[in-house]
C-alpha cells in the first residue's frame, strides 16, 4: 500500500478553465478520477472564476474509481504521474489505459 508521499502527482493539467489550475499545474490537495466506459474524468474539476488550491503543493491522485485501468491497484493509481486534459470531456485523465 502506498503512502501519501508515494502517490502519483498530476504532472500536467491543460484545463485552463479549472479553479485549481495555475500555469498548467494542478494545485488541488489531491484529485479523484471517476467516469464510466472509456471516459476517465477528473472529478475534482471545478469551472469557477475563483482560484483554489494550495500555493506550494502540486496535486496527487488521491483516489481512482477506474478499477478497469491498468494503473489501478485497489482503487489507488500506480502510474508514475498522470496528465489531465481534454479527452471525452474537458477534464479527463489522459494517462488512463483500459485493461
Amino acid at each position: 500500500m502506498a503512502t501519501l508521499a508515494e502517490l502519483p502527482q498530476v504532472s500536467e493539467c491543460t484545463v485552463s478553465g479549472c479553479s485549481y489550475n495555475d500555469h498548467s499545474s494542478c494545485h488541488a490537495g489531491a484529485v479523484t478520477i471517476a467516469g464510466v466506459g472509456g471516459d476517465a474524468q477528473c472529478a475534482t474539476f471545478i469551472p469557477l472564476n475563483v482560484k483554489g488550491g494550495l500555493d506550494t503543493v502540486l496535486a496527487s491522485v488521491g483516489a481512482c474509481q477506474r478499477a478497469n485501468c491498468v494503473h489501478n491497484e485497489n482503487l489507488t493509481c500506480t502510474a508514475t504521474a498522470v496528465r489531465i486534459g481534454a479527452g471525452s470531456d474537458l477534464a479527463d485523465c489522459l494517462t488512463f489505459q483500459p485493461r
Side-chain angles (χ1 to χ4, degrees):
M1 184 175 274
T3 66
L4 280 176
E6 297 170 324
L7 293 175
Q9 284 195 334
V10 177
S11 63
E12 176 185 47
C13 178
T14 58
V15 184
S16 60
C18 181
S19 294
Y20 293 113
N21 188 324
D22 186 16
H23 298 91
S24 295
S25 294
C26 181
H27 287 270
V31 300
T32 297
I33 306 301
V36 294
D39 187 19
Q41 297 172 326
C42 177
T44 310
F45 169 69
I46 298 177
L48 297 176
N49 292 331
V50 177
K51 285 296 179 190
L54 307 168
D55 289 337
T56 60
V57 176
L58 298 180
S60 295
V61 180
C64 180
Q65 300 173 6
R66 299 310 312 265
N68 65 328
C69 179
V70 299
H71 302 293
N72 189 312
E73 186 175 316
N74 300 319
L75 301 179
T76 301
C77 183
T78 62
T80 306
V82 299
R83 293 175 32 254
I84 306 294
S88 297
D89 291 302
L90 183 62
D92 284 344
C93 177
L94 302 177
T95 309
F96 171 76
Q97 294 178 22
R99 291 184 198 262

